[in-house]
Amino acid sequence: METLKISMIGVPMDMGQLRRGVDMGPSAIRYAGAVERLEELGHRVIDEGDIYIDHSKKEESPDTTLRNLEAVTDANTKLAQKVHEVVEKGSFPLVLGGDHSIAIGTLAGISDHYENLGVIWYDAHADMNTSETSPSGNIHGMPLAISLGLGHERLVNIRGFAPKVKPENIVIVGARSIDQGEKELIRKTGIKVYSMHEIDRLGMTDVMQDAIIYLKSQNVDGVHLSLDLDGIDPIYTPGVGTPVPGGITYRESHLAMEMLQESGLITSAEFVEVNPILDEKNKTADVAVALMGSLFGETLV
């Protein structure tokens, strides 16, 4: 197993959605032993601390239906710069959330370092809404669309370019709650989606093998893993803001992470939507850290 220099970046933000508490996610993940787990595997971990979130910007903008546009843009701009600096120094960026709107900044900071970046979106949701299709106006349901160059210009153009990723280089795994507007966009863009139907029918081994082969066929030169803890069944991860029953199991998720580690494709990752207020004895953060272990080379024997 390759020894990595991992830069851990916390983003304590809850303004991409309505439920309070997800801003404590990075602290909960650290408390669950993320640094120690990765160091035990031989990696060098640099805790870069947290991105400063300016809560004074938390206000409604009169010219948009998007909630907290100013605050979310500000936070993601800072995160993008930090991630860019980390990659430039040769570190593996590991981002801790925070709500899933932080993926806007993560991908913005990563994508200009790759010619053909791939993305695995491990999530119950597609996160492909725009202001026109969103039922809520919550930006945490929009980061994948924004990274495709679809959405409010201030978010789309963070770091001065768009899109951050091509639709043919995206794989969604675990989807089971997709809005109508998202379904239409998925069909239009041709994004590859493995819903729970495919996982149940084919099994996680075949799904991940197919996803890995597909991304390699696209000649990606790096792959970002964006893992929302609500992708896993809420039996195992109760501390998430938008739980959806019937999700991926704990063991299936470990298998997926182990297969991604073996593939050698993953060049950056984020773990998001851990909400300690909704959790049971930090159970969801513990799952996040355990999955990090598998992703970074931990094995059963």
Side-chain angles (χ1 to χ4, degrees), residues 96-130:
L96 314 178
D99 69 64
H100 213 165
S101 70
I102 70 171
I104 299 166
T106 306
L107 282 168
I110 292 166
S111 58
D112 61 354
H113 292 274
Y114 296 91
E115 293 292 326
N116 201 38
L117 181 68
V119 172
I120 294 176
W121 202 263
Y122 199 91
D123 199 332
H125 308 89
D127 292 340
M128 289 181 63
N129 271 306
T130 64

Coordinates of all heavy atoms in Angstrom, one line a residue, residues 96-130:
L96 N -13.6 17.2 5.4 CA -14.6 16.7 6.3 C -15.8 17.8 6.4 O -15.5 19.0 6.7 CB -14.0 16.6 7.7 CG -12.7 15.8 7.9 CD1 -12.3 15.8 9.3 CD2 -12.8 14.4 7.3
G97 N -17.0 17.3 6.2 CA -18.2 18.2 6.3 C -19.0 18.0 7.5 O -18.8 17.0 8.2
G98 N -19.8 19.0 7.7 CA -20.4 20.0 6.8 C -21.4 19.4 5.9 O -21.4 18.2 5.6
D99 N -22.3 20.3 5.4 CA -23.3 19.8 4.4 C -22.7 19.6 3.1 O -21.6 20.1 2.8 CB -24.5 20.7 4.5 CG -24.3 22.1 3.9 OD1 -24.0 22.2 2.7 OD2 -24.4 23.1 4.6
H100 N -23.4 19.0 2.2 CA -22.8 18.6 0.9 C -22.6 19.7 -0.1 O -21.9 19.5 -1.1 CB -23.7 17.5 0.2 CG -22.9 16.5 -0.5 ND1 -23.4 15.3 -1.0 CD2 -21.6 16.5 -1.0 CE1 -22.4 14.6 -1.6 NE2 -21.4 15.3 -1.7
S101 N -23.0 20.9 0.2 CA -22.7 22.0 -0.6 C -21.2 22.3 -0.7 O -20.7 22.9 -1.6 CB -23.5 23.3 -0.2 OG -23.0 23.8 1.1
I102 N -20.5 21.8 0.3 CA -19.0 22.0 0.3 C -18.3 21.3 -0.8 O -17.2 21.7 -1.2 CB -18.4 21.6 1.7 CG1 -18.4 20.1 1.8 CG2 -19.1 22.3 2.8 CD1 -17.6 19.6 3.0
A103 N -19.0 20.4 -1.5 CA -18.4 19.7 -2.6 C -18.1 20.7 -3.8 O -17.3 20.5 -4.6 CB -19.3 18.6 -3.1
I104 N -18.9 21.8 -3.8 CA -18.7 22.8 -4.8 C -17.2 23.4 -4.7 O -16.5 23.5 -5.7 CB -19.7 24.0 -4.6 CG1 -21.1 23.5 -4.8 CG2 -19.3 25.1 -5.6 CD1 -22.1 24.5 -4.3
G105 N -16.8 23.7 -3.5 CA -15.5 24.2 -3.3 C -14.4 23.1 -3.4 O -13.3 23.4 -4.0
T106 N -14.7 21.9 -2.9 CA -13.7 20.8 -3.1 C -13.4 20.6 -4.5 O -12.2 20.5 -4.9 CB -14.2 19.5 -2.4 OG1 -14.6 19.8 -1.1 CG2 -13.1 18.5 -2.5
L107 N -14.4 20.4 -5.4 CA -14.2 20.1 -6.8 C -13.5 21.3 -7.5 O -12.7 21.2 -8.4 CB -15.5 19.7 -7.4 CG -15.9 18.3 -7.2 CD1 -17.3 18.0 -7.6 CD2 -15.0 17.3 -7.9
A108 N -13.9 22.5 -7.1 CA -13.3 23.7 -7.7 C -11.8 23.8 -7.4 O -11.0 24.2 -8.3 CB -14.0 25.0 -7.2
G109 N -11.4 23.4 -6.2 CA -10.0 23.4 -5.9 C -9.2 22.3 -6.5 O -8.0 22.4 -6.7
I110 N -9.8 21.1 -6.8 CA -9.1 20.0 -7.3 C -9.0 20.0 -8.8 O -8.0 19.7 -9.4 CB -9.9 18.7 -6.9 CG1 -9.8 18.4 -5.4 CG2 -9.4 17.5 -7.7 CD1 -10.8 17.4 -4.9
S111 N -10.1 20.4 -9.5 CA -10.3 20.1 -10.9 C -9.3 20.8 -11.8 O -8.9 20.2 -12.9 CB -11.7 20.5 -11.4 OG -11.9 21.8 -11.2
D112 N -8.7 21.9 -11.5 CA -7.7 22.5 -12.4 C -6.4 21.8 -12.3 O -5.4 22.2 -13.0 CB -7.6 24.0 -12.2 CG -7.2 24.4 -10.8 OD1 -7.1 23.5 -9.9 OD2 -6.9 25.6 -10.6
H113 N -6.2 20.8 -11.4 CA -5.0 20.0 -11.4 C -5.1 18.8 -12.2 O -4.1 18.0 -12.3 CB -4.7 19.6 -9.9 CG -4.3 20.8 -9.0 ND1 -3.1 21.3 -8.9 CD2 -5.1 21.6 -8.3 CE1 -3.0 22.3 -8.1 NE2 -4.3 22.5 -7.7
Y114 N -6.2 18.5 -12.9 CA -6.4 17.4 -13.7 C -7.0 17.7 -15.0 O -7.8 18.6 -15.2 CB -7.4 16.4 -13.0 CG -6.8 15.8 -11.7 CD1 -7.0 16.5 -10.5 CD2 -6.0 14.7 -11.7 CE1 -6.5 16.0 -9.3 CE2 -5.5 14.2 -10.5 CZ -5.7 14.9 -9.3 OH -5.2 14.4 -8.1
E115 N -6.6 17.0 -16.1 CA -7.1 17.2 -17.4 C -8.5 16.6 -17.6 O -9.3 17.0 -18.3 CB -6.1 16.6 -18.4 CG -4.8 17.4 -18.5 CD -4.9 18.8 -19.1 OE1 -5.8 19.0 -19.9 OE2 -4.2 19.7 -18.6
N116 N -8.7 15.5 -16.9 CA -9.9 14.7 -17.1 C -10.4 14.0 -15.8 O -10.4 12.8 -15.7 CB -9.6 13.6 -18.2 CG -10.9 13.1 -18.8 OD1 -11.8 13.9 -19.1 ND2 -10.9 11.8 -19.1
L117 N -10.8 14.9 -14.8 CA -11.1 14.4 -13.5 C -12.4 13.6 -13.5 O -13.4 13.9 -14.2 CB -11.3 15.6 -12.6 CG -11.7 15.3 -11.1 CD1 -10.5 14.6 -10.4 CD2 -12.1 16.6 -10.4
G118 N -12.4 12.4 -12.8 CA -13.6 11.6 -12.6 C -14.1 11.9 -11.2 O -13.4 12.3 -10.3
V119 N -15.4 11.6 -11.0 CA -16.1 11.8 -9.7 C -17.0 10.6 -9.4 O -17.7 10.1 -10.2 CB -16.9 13.0 -9.7 CG1 -17.8 13.1 -8.4 CG2 -16.1 14.3 -9.8
I120 N -16.8 10.0 -8.2 CA -17.8 9.0 -7.7 C -18.6 9.7 -6.6 O -18.1 10.2 -5.6 CB -17.1 7.8 -7.1 CG1 -16.3 7.0 -8.2 CG2 -18.1 6.9 -6.4 CD1 -15.5 5.9 -7.7
W121 N -19.9 9.8 -6.8 CA -20.8 10.5 -5.9 C -21.6 9.4 -5.2 O -22.5 8.8 -5.7 CB -21.8 11.3 -6.8 CG -22.4 12.5 -6.0 CD1 -23.7 12.5 -5.5 CD2 -21.9 13.8 -5.8 NE1 -23.9 13.7 -4.9 CE2 -22.8 14.5 -5.1 CE3 -20.6 14.4 -6.1 CZ2 -22.6 15.8 -4.7 CZ3 -20.4 15.7 -5.7 CH2 -21.4 16.4 -5.0
Y122 N -21.2 9.1 -4.0 CA -21.7 8.1 -3.1 C -22.8 8.7 -2.2 O -22.5 9.3 -1.2 CB -20.6 7.5 -2.3 CG -20.8 6.1 -1.7 CD1 -20.4 4.9 -2.5 CD2 -21.4 5.9 -0.5 CE1 -20.6 3.7 -2.0 CE2 -21.5 4.6 0.0 CZ -21.1 3.5 -0.7 OH -21.3 2.2 -0.2
D123 N -24.1 8.5 -2.6 CA -25.1 9.4 -2.0 C -26.5 8.8 -2.3 O -26.7 8.2 -3.3 CB -25.0 10.8 -2.7 CG -25.6 11.9 -1.9 OD1 -26.6 11.6 -1.1 OD2 -25.2 13.0 -2.0
A124 N -27.4 9.0 -1.4 CA -28.8 8.7 -1.6 C -29.4 9.6 -2.6 O -30.5 9.3 -3.2 CB -29.6 8.7 -0.3
H125 N -28.9 10.8 -2.8 CA -29.4 11.8 -3.7 C -28.5 12.1 -4.8 O -27.2 11.9 -4.7 CB -29.6 13.1 -2.9 CG -30.4 12.9 -1.6 ND1 -29.8 12.6 -0.4 CD2 -31.8 12.9 -1.4 CE1 -30.7 12.4 0.5 NE2 -31.9 12.6 0.0
A126 N -29.0 12.7 -5.9 CA -28.2 13.0 -7.0 C -27.5 14.4 -6.9 O -26.5 14.7 -7.5 CB -29.0 13.0 -8.3
D127 N -28.1 15.2 -6.1 CA -27.6 16.6 -5.9 C -27.4 17.4 -7.2 O -26.4 18.1 -7.4 CB -26.3 16.6 -5.0 CG -26.5 16.1 -3.6 OD1 -27.7 16.2 -3.1 OD2 -25.6 15.7 -3.0
M128 N -28.4 17.2 -8.1 CA -28.3 17.8 -9.4 C -29.4 18.8 -9.6 O -29.8 19.1 -10.8 CB -28.3 16.7 -10.5 CG -27.0 16.0 -10.5 SD -26.9 14.7 -11.8 CE -27.0 15.8 -13.3
N129 N -30.0 19.4 -8.5 CA -31.0 20.4 -8.7 C -30.4 21.7 -9.1 O -29.2 22.0 -8.9 CB -31.8 20.6 -7.4 CG -33.0 19.7 -7.4 OD1 -33.8 19.7 -8.3 ND2 -33.1 18.9 -6.3
T130 N -31.2 22.6 -9.7 CA -30.8 24.0 -9.9 C -31.8 24.9 -9.2 O -32.8 24.4 -8.7 CB -30.7 24.3 -11.4 OG1 -32.1 24.1 -12.0 CG2 -29.8 23.3 -12.1

